[in-house]
Amino acid sequence: METYLAYFDILGFKEFIFNADSSTRSTLMNHLIRDSQMALSRGKTAERPGGGLMPDLSDCNIHCLHISDSIIFWTNDISTEMFKELVESSGHFLRQCMQITFPVRGCIVKGEIEYEPFSFKNKKESQFQNSSLYGKALTDAYLKAESQDWVGCFIDRSAASAGDEVLTELIYEKQIVYYPVPFKGGSSSYEYALRTINKTINDVFLKNLAKSAELMFNRHMDGKPLGADVLRKLTNTVKFYDYFRANIDK
């Protein structure tokens, strides 16, 4: 099927697995699942049976699959409405992760995927589960996410074919910006990037967010200094925040 697909991967996941204790791992991975559910509900909540609130997924049109350090969202079709919902959900997920759980990077593409999950359990309670998601869209999104040198996500030109009118609307709604996305090797390219901050911002919030980014990168290093490649990603991420500080009223 042809779809819009967003692929995200967690930066520093290996260090997190090796250095965090089991309680911390469980807590943060549960928070990550909550982040993706809140992203799909686009912030809407419903009452939980027995009290409390939970993400309201009743009107969600986006699929989600977690595989280790990969989080994948995709649509039922390639309509404009689906594209806009995927961009909104992906932006919500990116911001939640960066502020609460993990630094992530991702890419939104348009292309073909195959997904026909099934499972069964035998009389000995052994399970066979198939959640294979594959196709050119997933491979394309993975490669383009991995090529980036920051915490962020951009809309690939295959998906930008949704049209200038739609992209202009998303810019006006402060969901995306046209920005020189940094890539490995020191290159950059102007792309439509998802905002890594909320629509309503102020200078103090931006400064605190930059400090939060550094803490996020350091969280699972077990006291070890950040390597040159990680420091470069952090610097590029903070530069994106500085862009918003310079254009705070725009």
Side-chain angles (χ1 to χ4, degrees):
M1 63 176 284
E2 192 169 22
T3 183
Y4 289 112
L5 180 145
Y7 171 89
F8 290 93
D9 79 303
I10 298 171
L11 296 173
F13 191 72
K14 178 179 68 176
E15 288 76 14
F16 163 68
I17 292 297
F18 281 117
N19 295 330
D21 58 51
S22 59
S23 176
T24 300
R25 289 197 298 267
S26 178
T27 296
L28 283 179
M29 292 305 289
N30 284 332
H31 284 177
L32 184 69
I33 292 172
R34 177 205 59 198
D35 288 345
S36 63
Q37 291 177 333
M38 286 300 294
L40 294 177
S41 73
R42 290 171 288 170
K44 298 177 183 176
T45 57
E47 290 188 9
R48 186 188 302 275
L53 297 175
M54 63 181 184
D56 183 1
L57 302 179
S58 59
D59 291 323
C60 170
N61 293 302
I62 307 298
H63 304 274
C64 179
L65 179 64
H66 284 246
I67 306 174
S68 187
D69 63 337
S70 300
I71 302 91
I72 308 159
F73 303 101
W74 71 96
T75 64
N76 286 319
D77 57 49
I78 53 170
S79 65
T80 298
E81 291 72 21
M82 287 286 188
F83 173 71
K84 291 168 66 176
E85 183 172 340
L86 180 64
V87 169
E88 184 177 355
S89 294
S90 297
H92 191 109
F93 178 73
L94 177 63
R95 291 186 291 275
Q96 284 289 112
C97 285
M98 191 57 208
Q99 295 174 37
I100 300 173
T101 50
F102 300 101
V104 298
R105 62 186 169 189
C107 184
I108 297 176
V109 304
K110 182 175 77 171
E112 294 284 340
I113 59 167
E114 300 292 337
Y115 184 59
E116 296 181 2
F118 65 87
S119 65
F120 65 83
K121 183 185 297 186
N122 67 13
K123 62 183 179 181
K124 295 184 177 181
E125 299 296 307
S126 296
Q127 297 186 55
F128 182 96
Q129 296 186 343
N130 171 53
S131 297
S132 298
L133 174 69
Y134 60 93
K136 290 183 178 179
L138 179 58
T139 301
D140 192 27
Y142 164 78
L143 291 173
K144 287 172 178 172
E146 290 286 312
S147 69
Q148 295 170 66
D149 211 15
W150 69 339
V151 173
C153 175
F154 75 94
I155 299 171
D156 181 59
R157 292 173 191 187
S158 62
S161 63
D164 292 341
E165 184 177 340
V166 176
L167 295 169
T168 300
E169 180 183 343
L170 292 172
I171 290 174
Y172 179 77
E173 292 175 350
K174 297 186 176 181
Q175 296 194 52
I176 63 174
V177 295
Y178 198 54
Y179 183 81
V181 173
F183 292 93
K184 294 177 180 177
S187 67
S188 65
S189 173
Y190 271 91
E191 308 288 350
Y192 293 100
L194 303 191
R195 289 173 65 104
T196 52
I197 61 172
N198 295 318
K199 298 177 185 179
T200 303
I201 57 176
N202 58 59
D203 194 55
V204 173
F205 176 81
L206 282 170
K207 290 178 181 177
N208 289 337
L209 196 57
K211 293 179 181 177
S212 175
E214 184 173 1
L215 290 172
M216 188 71 68
F217 274 94
N218 277 287
R219 175 188 280 176
H220 306 301
M221 294 304 295
D222 198 29
K224 298 177 183 177
L226 298 178
D229 59 331
V230 178
L231 285 172
R232 190 175 58 251
K233 289 180 175 63
L234 175 59
T235 297
N236 289 336
T237 301
V238 175
K239 280 183 181 179
F240 196 35
Y241 298 154
D242 290 338
Y243 165 84
F244 290 106
R245 182 180 294 117
N247 298 273
I248 199 165
D249 294 321
K250 296 182 181 181

